[in-house]
mmCIF file of all heavy atoms in Angstrom:
data_model
loop_
_atom_site.group_PDB
_atom_site.id
_atom_site.type_symbol
_atom_site.label_atom_id
_atom_site.label_comp_id
_atom_site.label_asym_id
_atom_site.label_seq_id
_atom_site.Cartn_x
_atom_site.Cartn_y
_atom_site.Cartn_z
ATOM 1 N N THR A 118 109.434 -121.146 43.620
ATOM 2 C CA THR A 118 110.262 -122.214 43.025
ATOM 3 C C THR A 118 111.148 -121.699 41.905
ATOM 4 O O THR A 118 112.063 -122.387 41.475
ATOM 5 C CB THR A 118 109.387 -123.348 42.472
ATOM 6 O OG1 THR A 118 108.601 -122.835 41.388
ATOM 7 C CG2 THR A 118 108.499 -123.936 43.552
ATOM 8 N N GLY A 119 110.867 -120.514 41.382
ATOM 9 C CA GLY A 119 111.685 -119.909 40.337
ATOM 10 C C GLY A 119 111.273 -120.241 38.922
ATOM 11 O O GLY A 119 111.838 -119.712 37.967
ATOM 12 N N GLY A 120 110.289 -121.116 38.748
ATOM 13 C CA GLY A 120 109.886 -121.545 37.416
ATOM 14 C C GLY A 120 109.359 -120.439 36.529
ATOM 15 O O GLY A 120 109.720 -120.356 35.352
ATOM 16 N N THR A 121 108.514 -119.585 37.072
ATOM 17 C CA THR A 121 107.942 -118.497 36.276
ATOM 18 C C THR A 121 109.024 -117.526 35.836
ATOM 19 O O THR A 121 109.100 -117.136 34.670
ATOM 20 C CB THR A 121 106.849 -117.748 37.068
ATOM 21 O OG1 THR A 121 105.906 -118.693 37.569
ATOM 22 C CG2 THR A 121 106.145 -116.731 36.199
ATOM 23 N N MET A 122 109.893 -117.145 36.767
ATOM 24 C CA MET A 122 110.961 -116.208 36.418
ATOM 25 C C MET A 122 111.953 -116.848 35.447
ATOM 26 O O MET A 122 112.462 -116.176 34.555
ATOM 27 C CB MET A 122 111.663 -115.693 37.667
ATOM 28 C CG MET A 122 112.696 -114.625 37.384
ATOM 29 S SD MET A 122 112.078 -113.152 36.485
ATOM 30 C CE MET A 122 111.234 -112.280 37.796
ATOM 31 N N GLU A 123 112.212 -118.129 35.604
ATOM 32 C CA GLU A 123 113.102 -118.826 34.677
ATOM 33 C C GLU A 123 112.542 -118.750 33.249
ATOM 34 O O GLU A 123 113.287 -118.513 32.294
ATOM 35 C CB GLU A 123 113.267 -120.274 35.117
ATOM 36 C CG GLU A 123 114.267 -121.065 34.311
ATOM 37 C CD GLU A 123 114.411 -122.480 34.820
ATOM 38 O OE1 GLU A 123 113.398 -123.127 35.184
ATOM 39 O OE2 GLU A 123 115.562 -122.966 34.840
ATOM 40 N N ALA A 124 111.225 -118.897 33.102
ATOM 41 C CA ALA A 124 110.591 -118.784 31.788
ATOM 42 C C ALA A 124 110.675 -117.351 31.266
ATOM 43 O O ALA A 124 110.891 -117.120 30.072
ATOM 44 C CB ALA A 124 109.135 -119.244 31.860
ATOM 45 N N ALA A 125 110.524 -116.367 32.155
ATOM 46 C CA ALA A 125 110.625 -114.961 31.751
ATOM 47 C C ALA A 125 112.050 -114.635 31.306
ATOM 48 O O ALA A 125 112.253 -113.921 30.311
ATOM 49 C CB ALA A 125 110.204 -114.055 32.912
ATOM 50 N N VAL A 126 113.038 -115.156 32.014
ATOM 51 C CA VAL A 126 114.444 -114.975 31.630
ATOM 52 C C VAL A 126 114.668 -115.535 30.230
ATOM 53 O O VAL A 126 115.328 -114.908 29.389
ATOM 54 C CB VAL A 126 115.381 -115.639 32.668
ATOM 55 C CG1 VAL A 126 116.777 -115.841 32.115
ATOM 56 C CG2 VAL A 126 115.421 -114.817 33.954
ATOM 57 N N ASP A 127 114.108 -116.712 29.969
ATOM 58 C CA ASP A 127 114.220 -117.331 28.644
ATOM 59 C C ASP A 127 113.678 -116.395 27.561
ATOM 60 O O ASP A 127 114.307 -116.215 26.512
ATOM 61 C CB ASP A 127 113.465 -118.670 28.629
ATOM 62 C CG ASP A 127 113.382 -119.273 27.239
ATOM 63 O OD1 ASP A 127 114.440 -119.592 26.655
ATOM 64 O OD2 ASP A 127 112.248 -119.422 26.730
ATOM 65 N N LEU A 128 112.532 -115.779 27.811
ATOM 66 C CA LEU A 128 111.932 -114.866 26.823
ATOM 67 C C LEU A 128 112.827 -113.652 26.580
ATOM 68 O O LEU A 128 113.057 -113.258 25.430
ATOM 69 C CB LEU A 128 110.543 -114.425 27.283
ATOM 70 C CG LEU A 128 109.465 -115.507 27.294
ATOM 71 C CD1 LEU A 128 108.196 -114.986 27.936
ATOM 72 C CD2 LEU A 128 109.197 -116.005 25.878
ATOM 73 N N VAL A 129 113.336 -113.055 27.641
ATOM 74 C CA VAL A 129 114.197 -111.874 27.497
ATOM 75 C C VAL A 129 115.466 -112.223 26.726
ATOM 76 O O VAL A 129 115.907 -111.464 25.856
ATOM 77 C CB VAL A 129 114.520 -111.259 28.878
ATOM 78 C CG1 VAL A 129 115.592 -110.178 28.764
ATOM 79 C CG2 VAL A 129 113.256 -110.684 29.515
ATOM 80 N N LYS A 130 116.033 -113.374 27.014
ATOM 81 C CA LYS A 130 117.244 -113.805 26.304
ATOM 82 C C LYS A 130 116.952 -114.035 24.819
ATOM 83 O O LYS A 130 117.771 -113.682 23.968
ATOM 84 C CB LYS A 130 117.807 -115.062 26.958
ATOM 85 C CG LYS A 130 118.487 -114.763 28.295
ATOM 86 C CD LYS A 130 118.808 -115.977 29.098
ATOM 87 C CE LYS A 130 119.906 -116.802 28.499
ATOM 88 N NZ LYS A 130 120.286 -117.939 29.357
ATOM 89 N N ARG A 131 115.796 -114.607 24.500
ATOM 90 C CA ARG A 131 115.441 -114.817 23.092
ATOM 91 C C ARG A 131 115.308 -113.498 22.343
ATOM 92 O O ARG A 131 115.576 -113.431 21.152
ATOM 93 C CB ARG A 131 114.137 -115.601 22.972
ATOM 94 C CG ARG A 131 114.354 -117.079 23.129
ATOM 95 C CD ARG A 131 113.214 -117.848 22.533
ATOM 96 N NE ARG A 131 112.300 -118.222 23.585
ATOM 97 C CZ ARG A 131 111.100 -118.721 23.392
ATOM 98 N NH1 ARG A 131 110.630 -118.893 22.184
ATOM 99 N NH2 ARG A 131 110.338 -119.047 24.405
ATOM 100 N N LEU A 132 114.901 -112.453 23.066
ATOM 101 C CA LEU A 132 114.761 -111.133 22.454
ATOM 102 C C LEU A 132 116.094 -110.396 22.372
ATOM 103 O O LEU A 132 116.175 -109.327 21.777
ATOM 104 C CB LEU A 132 113.757 -110.283 23.240
ATOM 105 C CG LEU A 132 112.308 -110.766 23.173
ATOM 106 C CD1 LEU A 132 111.452 -110.001 24.170
ATOM 107 C CD2 LEU A 132 111.757 -110.622 21.773
ATOM 108 N N GLY A 133 117.126 -110.935 22.992
ATOM 109 C CA GLY A 133 118.441 -110.310 22.943
ATOM 110 C C GLY A 133 118.695 -109.305 24.043
ATOM 111 O O GLY A 133 119.673 -108.555 23.990
ATOM 112 N N GLY A 134 117.824 -109.269 25.056
ATOM 113 C CA GLY A 134 118.021 -108.347 26.169
ATOM 114 C C GLY A 134 119.156 -108.777 27.069
ATOM 115 O O GLY A 134 119.452 -109.963 27.202
ATOM 116 N N GLU A 135 119.816 -107.790 27.682
ATOM 117 C CA GLU A 135 120.882 -108.041 28.658
ATOM 118 C C GLU A 135 120.253 -107.981 30.044
ATOM 119 O O GLU A 135 119.802 -106.921 30.487
ATOM 120 C CB GLU A 135 121.966 -106.973 28.538
ATOM 121 C CG GLU A 135 123.048 -107.077 29.575
ATOM 122 C CD GLU A 135 123.895 -105.827 29.669
ATOM 123 O OE1 GLU A 135 124.078 -105.141 28.648
ATOM 124 O OE2 GLU A 135 124.359 -105.522 30.786
ATOM 125 N N ILE A 136 120.195 -109.098 30.731
ATOM 126 C CA ILE A 136 119.541 -109.158 32.035
ATOM 127 C C ILE A 136 120.479 -108.599 33.095
ATOM 128 O O ILE A 136 121.535 -109.159 33.370
ATOM 129 C CB ILE A 136 119.103 -110.591 32.368
ATOM 130 C CG1 ILE A 136 118.094 -111.061 31.317
ATOM 131 C CG2 ILE A 136 118.518 -110.661 33.779
ATOM 132 C CD1 ILE A 136 117.755 -112.521 31.374
ATOM 133 N N PHE A 137 120.070 -107.470 33.681
ATOM 134 C CA PHE A 137 120.879 -106.810 34.702
ATOM 135 C C PHE A 137 120.551 -107.331 36.096
ATOM 136 O O PHE A 137 121.410 -107.386 36.963
ATOM 137 C CB PHE A 137 120.666 -105.297 34.646
ATOM 138 C CG PHE A 137 121.606 -104.546 35.529
ATOM 139 C CD1 PHE A 137 122.923 -104.334 35.148
ATOM 140 C CD2 PHE A 137 121.193 -104.066 36.762
ATOM 141 C CE1 PHE A 137 123.808 -103.651 35.967
ATOM 142 C CE2 PHE A 137 122.065 -103.380 37.597
ATOM 143 C CZ PHE A 137 123.376 -103.176 37.195
ATOM 144 N N GLY A 138 119.275 -107.690 36.314
ATOM 145 C CA GLY A 138 118.892 -108.171 37.631
ATOM 146 C C GLY A 138 117.469 -108.670 37.674
ATOM 147 O O GLY A 138 116.685 -108.456 36.738
ATOM 148 N N LEU A 139 117.157 -109.347 38.775
ATOM 149 C CA LEU A 139 115.824 -109.865 39.051
ATOM 150 C C LEU A 139 115.405 -109.318 40.407
ATOM 151 O O LEU A 139 116.144 -109.472 41.388
ATOM 152 C CB LEU A 139 115.832 -111.398 39.098
ATOM 153 C CG LEU A 139 116.558 -112.142 37.976
ATOM 154 C CD1 LEU A 139 116.546 -113.646 38.236
ATOM 155 C CD2 LEU A 139 115.950 -111.825 36.630
ATOM 156 N N ALA A 140 114.235 -108.687 40.460
ATOM 157 C CA ALA A 140 113.782 -108.045 41.696
ATOM 158 C C ALA A 140 112.439 -108.615 42.129
ATOM 159 O O ALA A 140 111.525 -108.760 41.309
ATOM 160 C CB ALA A 140 113.669 -106.539 41.498
ATOM 161 N N PHE A 141 112.335 -108.902 43.421
ATOM 162 C CA PHE A 141 111.117 -109.465 44.004
ATOM 163 C C PHE A 141 110.797 -108.743 45.306
ATOM 164 O O PHE A 141 111.718 -108.330 46.025
ATOM 165 C CB PHE A 141 111.313 -110.951 44.339
ATOM 166 C CG PHE A 141 111.722 -111.790 43.169
ATOM 167 C CD1 PHE A 141 113.066 -111.986 42.884
ATOM 168 C CD2 PHE A 141 110.782 -112.388 42.359
ATOM 169 C CE1 PHE A 141 113.468 -112.768 41.818
ATOM 170 C CE2 PHE A 141 111.164 -113.175 41.282
ATOM 171 C CZ PHE A 141 112.505 -113.356 41.006
ATOM 172 N N LEU A 142 109.518 -108.653 45.627
ATOM 173 C CA LEU A 142 109.136 -108.146 46.940
ATOM 174 C C LEU A 142 109.400 -109.220 47.991
ATOM 175 O O LEU A 142 110.048 -108.968 48.994
ATOM 176 C CB LEU A 142 107.657 -107.737 46.964
ATOM 177 C CG LEU A 142 107.114 -107.344 48.342
ATOM 178 C CD1 LEU A 142 107.854 -106.146 48.911
ATOM 179 C CD2 LEU A 142 105.621 -107.092 48.275
ATOM 180 N N VAL A 143 108.910 -110.449 47.743
ATOM 181 C CA VAL A 143 108.979 -111.534 48.717
ATOM 182 C C VAL A 143 109.711 -112.729 48.115
ATOM 183 O O VAL A 143 109.522 -113.050 46.938
ATOM 184 C CB VAL A 143 107.555 -111.965 49.159
ATOM 185 C CG1 VAL A 143 107.595 -113.201 50.043
ATOM 186 C CG2 VAL A 143 106.831 -110.821 49.864
ATOM 187 N N GLU A 144 110.513 -113.394 48.951
ATOM 188 C CA GLU A 144 111.175 -114.632 48.549
ATOM 189 C C GLU A 144 110.907 -115.702 49.610
ATOM 190 O O GLU A 144 111.104 -115.463 50.795
ATOM 191 C CB GLU A 144 112.680 -114.415 48.420
ATOM 192 C CG GLU A 144 113.437 -115.656 48.014
ATOM 193 C CD GLU A 144 114.935 -115.434 47.827
ATOM 194 O OE1 GLU A 144 115.406 -114.284 48.027
ATOM 195 O OE2 GLU A 144 115.629 -116.401 47.486
ATOM 196 N N LEU A 145 110.447 -116.867 49.158
ATOM 197 C CA LEU A 145 110.240 -118.015 50.041
ATOM 198 C C LEU A 145 111.492 -118.889 49.966
ATOM 199 O O LEU A 145 111.664 -119.672 49.036
ATOM 200 C CB LEU A 145 108.988 -118.789 49.622
ATOM 201 C CG LEU A 145 107.695 -117.969 49.565
ATOM 202 C CD1 LEU A 145 106.528 -118.829 49.097
ATOM 203 C CD2 LEU A 145 107.394 -117.321 50.906
ATOM 204 N N LEU A 146 112.377 -118.722 50.927
ATOM 205 C CA LEU A 146 113.706 -119.332 50.878
ATOM 206 C C LEU A 146 113.677 -120.858 50.814
ATOM 207 O O LEU A 146 114.496 -121.465 50.113
ATOM 208 C CB LEU A 146 114.533 -118.873 52.077
ATOM 209 C CG LEU A 146 114.818 -117.367 52.145
ATOM 210 C CD1 LEU A 146 115.439 -116.996 53.477
ATOM 211 C CD2 LEU A 146 115.708 -116.946 50.996
ATOM 212 N N ASP A 147 112.755 -121.491 51.516
ATOM 213 C CA ASP A 147 112.703 -122.956 51.554
ATOM 214 C C ASP A 147 112.414 -123.579 50.190
ATOM 215 O O ASP A 147 112.717 -124.746 49.966
ATOM 216 C CB ASP A 147 111.654 -123.440 52.560
ATOM 217 C CG ASP A 147 112.087 -123.224 54.002
ATOM 218 O OD1 ASP A 147 113.285 -122.953 54.230
ATOM 219 O OD2 ASP A 147 111.225 -123.318 54.894
ATOM 220 N N LEU A 148 111.824 -122.819 49.275
ATOM 221 C CA LEU A 148 111.480 -123.363 47.957
ATOM 222 C C LEU A 148 112.638 -123.276 46.969
ATOM 223 O O LEU A 148 112.543 -123.769 45.854
ATOM 224 C CB LEU A 148 110.225 -122.684 47.413
ATOM 225 C CG LEU A 148 108.975 -122.937 48.262
ATOM 226 C CD1 LEU A 148 107.769 -122.216 47.678
ATOM 227 C CD2 LEU A 148 108.686 -124.423 48.411
ATOM 228 N N LYS A 149 113.714 -122.615 47.350
ATOM 229 C CA LYS A 149 114.983 -122.599 46.614
ATOM 230 C C LYS A 149 114.881 -122.131 45.154
ATOM 231 O O LYS A 149 115.582 -122.625 44.276
ATOM 232 C CB LYS A 149 115.645 -123.978 46.677
ATOM 233 C CG LYS A 149 115.922 -124.429 48.107
ATOM 234 C CD LYS A 149 116.726 -125.691 48.155
ATOM 235 C CE LYS A 149 116.948 -126.218 49.539
ATOM 236 N NZ LYS A 149 117.356 -125.324 50.566
ATOM 237 N N GLY A 150 114.015 -121.163 44.908
ATOM 238 C CA GLY A 150 113.890 -120.600 43.566
ATOM 239 C C GLY A 150 115.171 -119.964 43.070
ATOM 240 O O GLY A 150 115.454 -119.950 41.873
ATOM 241 N N ARG A 151 115.962 -119.462 43.982
ATOM 242 C CA ARG A 151 117.247 -118.847 43.661
ATOM 243 C C ARG A 151 118.173 -119.813 42.918
ATOM 244 O O ARG A 151 118.964 -119.403 42.086
ATOM 245 C CB ARG A 151 117.908 -118.421 44.971
ATOM 246 C CG ARG A 151 118.551 -117.104 44.952
ATOM 247 C CD ARG A 151 119.005 -116.772 46.376
ATOM 248 N NE ARG A 151 118.301 -115.633 46.891
ATOM 249 C CZ ARG A 151 118.721 -114.384 46.729
ATOM 250 N NH1 ARG A 151 119.822 -114.138 46.076
ATOM 251 N NH2 ARG A 151 118.025 -113.394 47.217
ATOM 252 N N ASP A 152 118.038 -121.102 43.232
ATOM 253 C CA ASP A 152 118.904 -122.110 42.607
ATOM 254 C C ASP A 152 118.724 -122.166 41.093
ATOM 255 O O ASP A 152 119.682 -122.394 40.365
ATOM 256 C CB ASP A 152 118.646 -123.494 43.210
ATOM 257 C CG ASP A 152 119.068 -123.593 44.673
ATOM 258 O OD1 ASP A 152 119.707 -122.646 45.187
ATOM 259 O OD2 ASP A 152 118.742 -124.615 45.307
#
């Protein structure tokens, strides 16, 4: 669903990191986490 990664992105942004990319082994397309 993307919720966990969305929270991780929030943490990295608060620390001032520049997010270059998000990498996953598996993606469940029907759950639309990419959105």
Side-chain angles (χ1 to χ4, degrees):
T118 65
T121 308
M122 185 56 77
E123 185 178 41
V126 163
D127 172 62
L128 292 173
V129 171
K130 286 168 70 175
R131 278 200 262 169
L132 292 170
E135 175 195 329
I136 299 170
F137 188 78
L139 313 176
F141 303 91
L142 173 61
V143 173
E144 180 178 1
L145 304 178
L146 297 171
D147 288 346
L148 297 179
K149 301 187 184 314
R151 222 173 245 271
D152 293 352

